[in-house]
Amino acid sequence: MKVYLDHAATTPLLPDVLSYYSDVLKDYPGNASSLHYEGERSRELYNWAKQTIADSINADFKEIVFTSGGTEADNIALFGYLKSIREKKPDRKKVVTSAIEHEAIIETVKELDQMGYDVFFAPVDEKGIVDVDSLKEQIDEQTAICSIMYANNEVGTLQPLKEISQLCKEAGCILHTDAVQAMGKVEIDVNELGVDMLSASAHKFYGPKGVGFLYVKEGTPLEPIFYGGGHEKGLRSGTENVPGVAAMAKALETVSEKINEKQEQYEQWTKRIMDACQKLSGVQFNGDPERRTPGSLSLSFSGVNGEALMGMLSMEDIAISTASACSSHSHRKGGSHVLSAMRCPKEYINGTIRVVTGYDNDDEQIDYFCNKLVEKVTLLRRLSNG
Ligand code: PLP
């Protein structure tokens, strides 16, 4: 049996989305910017996708910019906004973010720091909730933009964006949120959240890889950060990815209808996994049990190496990860920056796995995973005790 429990890294295309995607690839060969009948057909579908996505987050058609994914949306939001106010608001040189952002934001703000911006990383508490008091102190008339993720990619914690939005409004600064891990898992209404910009990525909600979007509230100034044919109101030049955006819209439409149903199902599975962990000692659950994306579990086992556990489970055809997919493959040495910021003890950080359930799982798979998890943790502990 194959059990995929790494839905925060990416999600498989839903069967309906896959067949729709391949139909569009076949049936819409036209460039959406061409003026002939093929171009017009593609443009119509492109516009339908934009309207569908706008509707699903309570935004306007004009407020959606299609991108190649979450990383690009984050970069356009931060660099594009700062570029647009550079001359008009020279005193606003501060960029406020949190200590637990994804690399798409962390590396972007590090670059901004190099460029002379004053970057502040707000701390988080033990559950991974950003310290609003420190934001209160830092968000002021010198702040240009505050970027706080909606849901964290390692522990699933949801941030109090409404409260943060109020602070930003009072200080006259822009609030951007990286909602890549929240989109399709919790309901999102951009007006209710009070955000000015929001990034999302289709492959996290059962759409294709390499496509995403940026919501930009009307009136938010933004300048392009790269140049070309002027597509997407000049903000994202490059031939429109019609099959990609159409499949993304189809996926978002489908998952948006199922949020509540899936939430209940995921909570049951999460409980089952946590109950299985009761058979073991030295287990820690990371994150906020109340305010998190349904189906996300970050579990730490003392005296266990998370990578060894991941490898053993992989040999049993179970796919989980140690932290985020990006950090597992390379550059971030020294363990999870998210768990460190949450003051998780080092021995637990080393023994952490991330388990995220999704549409393709069932009860049998969860039971299989629970049994294998208990078996492998017990085995690894026995081996390390000689
Ligand atoms: N932001 C968060 C929170 C993520 O989890 C990811 C991907 O893991 C990204 C941004 C990057 O998105 P993409 O892979 O579409 O560039």
Side-chain angles (χ1 to χ4, degrees):
M1 185 188 313
K2 287 208 188 312
V3 185
Y4 183 78
L5 291 168
D6 201 13
H7 295 85
T10 195
T11 52
L13 283 169
L14 289 174
D16 284 358
V17 175
L18 173 60
S19 62
Y20 180 69
Y21 190 25
S22 81
D23 286 350
V24 176
L25 274 166
K26 273 199 307 277
D27 301 340
Y28 288 80
N31 184 322
S33 295
S34 296
L35 298 177
H36 48 65
Y37 71 96
E38 280 294 4
E40 265 171 33
R41 285 182 70 237
S42 290
R43 171 62 57 187
E44 255 174 47
L45 190 63
Y46 196 77
N47 287 347
W48 166 82
K50 198 168 268 196
Q51 188 63 57
T52 302
I53 282 169
D55 290 347
S56 76
I57 59 167
N58 193 21
D60 193 81
F61 178 90
K62 297 190 293 294
E63 297 175 317
I64 305 296
V65 177
F66 286 137
T67 67
S68 70
T71 304
E72 191 180 73
D74 286 345
N75 273 267
I76 294 177
L78 268 64
F79 284 118
Y81 178 70
L82 290 171
K83 203 173 162 194
S84 79
I85 62 158
R86 201 174 32 188
E87 273 154 29
K88 284 180 221 124
K89 297 181 179 176
D91 294 340
R92 290 202 182 252
K93 296 285 279 181
K94 203 196 289 184
V95 176
V96 174
T97 187
S98 84
I100 60 164
E101 298 293 314
H102 185 270
E103 282 74 5
I105 291 293
I106 300 232
E107 297 302 319
T108 302
V109 298
K110 277 192 194 161
E111 182 60 23
L112 289 169
D113 181 63
Q114 292 287 310
M115 289 163 67
Y117 286 92
D118 180 10
V119 176
F120 174 74
F121 290 96
V124 296
D125 68 12
E126 281 81 1
K127 291 177 175 170
I129 308 254
V130 69
D131 178 8
V132 178
D133 285 339
S134 80
L135 288 180
K136 260 183 212 152
E137 271 172 36
Q138 290 294 332
I139 297 176
D140 55 23
E141 62 286 349
Q142 262 121 53
T143 309
I145 187 163
C146 172
S147 181
I148 304 287
M149 68 196 328
Y150 192 13
N152 180 262
N153 47 304
E154 293 187 30
V155 294
T157 304
L158 290 160
Q159 300 301 338
L161 287 182
K162 269 196 231 177
E163 212 177 325
I164 299 168
S165 146
Q166 206 47 46
L167 299 177
C168 292
K169 283 198 175 83
E170 281 161 19
C173 85
I174 290 292
L175 175 60
H176 164 257
T177 188
D178 176 335
V180 166
Q181 291 289 343
M183 190 62 61
K185 294 184 188 135
V186 294
E187 272 163 25
I188 293 186
D189 177 327
V190 284
N191 294 311
E192 215 179 285
L193 286 178
V195 295
D196 300 290
M197 290 191 276
L198 173 147
S199 307
S201 178
H203 75 100
K204 307 288 186 180
F205 53 84
Y206 305 90
K209 292 166 183 56
V211 56
F213 68 90
L214 177 67
Y215 155 78
V216 187
K217 191 182 170 75
E218 203 177 357
T220 310
L222 215 50
E223 270 189 34
I225 60 168
F226 57 87
Y227 298 87
H231 308 76
E232 296 294 288
K233 289 179 282 176
L235 287 171
R236 205 278 175 179
S237 284
T239 301
E240 291 92 342
N241 176 2
V242 177
V245 300
M248 168 164 70
K250 186 87 176 161
L252 191 54
E253 201 177 41
T254 310
V255 297
S256 298
E257 279 168 17
K258 294 196 171 151
I259 285 181
N260 292 337
E261 176 197 326
K262 291 292 167 189
Q263 196 158 338
E264 268 176 44
Q265 174 71 87
Y266 293 166
E267 287 310 324
Q268 279 175 25
W269 286 340
T270 303
K271 187 171 176 309
R272 213 182 282 189
I273 297 168
M274 288 171 83
D275 285 350
C277 289
Q278 298 297 318
K279 294 184 193 139
L280 299 159
S281 57
V283 186
Q284 179 175 300
F285 164 80
N286 308 303
D288 190 323
E290 312 289 324
R291 285 157 59 170
R292 68 185 158 82
T293 47
S296 308
L297 262 182
S298 168
L299 299 163
S300 301
F301 303 94
S302 65
V304 169
N305 179 297
E307 280 176 22
L309 180 56
M310 179 184 71
M312 280 195 160
L313 290 169
S314 179
M315 284 196 282
E316 302 286 350
D317 284 339
I318 296 170
I320 50 112
S321 66
T322 48
S324 68
C326 333
S327 35
S328 14
H329 253 293
S330 59
H331 53 281
R332 197 170 279 281
K333 298 275 178 260
S336 155
H337 69 291
V338 174
L339 295 174
S340 299
M342 289 164 64
R343 293 176 284 288
C344 177
K346 186 96 184 119
E347 67 159 320
Y348 276 107
I349 295 183
N350 293 339
T352 301
I353 58 166
R354 179 184 70 177
V355 179
V356 184
T357 56
Y359 275 46
D360 46 306
N361 297 132
D362 60 30
D363 287 348
E364 205 189 336
Q365 291 182 349
I366 301 301
D367 287 342
Y368 175 74
F369 167 68
C370 289
N371 290 336
K372 289 293 172 193
L373 177 66
V374 173
E375 182 188 312
K376 301 302 175 194
V377 169
T378 309
L379 176 63
L380 281 168
R381 281 182 175 159
R382 201 178 309 135
L383 289 174
S384 72
N385 288 333

